[in-house]
Amino acid sequence: MIGEVSLYGLYVPPLLLLTLAALAVSRLCNLVLARTGFYRLVWHPALFDFSLFVIVLGALAYYTRNWS
């Protein structure tokens, strides 16, 4: 993983970009799961949403760790 990413002269940490991407992907998954009625089977929807976000963030960080 690189040290920082330059966006028009503003240096941001790559984890911030991964977090924003993971947020978008997990929200998309939440919409799909809500429309299919999956949340009727979930005990604690907020905890499930948070764990889904952490899993997506971990997967993105794992698969982008060797980019340079």
Side-chain angles (χ1 to χ4, degrees), residues 18-20 22-24 26 48-58:
L18 289 176
T19 302
L20 293 175
L23 184 63
S26 65
F48 179 80
D49 289 343
F50 178 69
S51 62
L52 179 65
F53 169 75
V54 170
I55 290 169
V56 170
L57 179 60

Side-chain angles (χ1 to χ4, degrees), residues 7 12-14 16 19 23 25 27-28 32 35-36 38 41-42 44 55-56 58-59 64-65:
L7 293 175
V12 295
L16 177 65
T19 302
L23 184 63
V25 171
R27 295 302 277 165
L28 182 65
V32 170
R35 291 202 181 215
T36 59
F38 179 77
L41 304 173
V42 175
H44 200 290
I55 290 169
V56 170
T64 61
R65 73 182 186 273

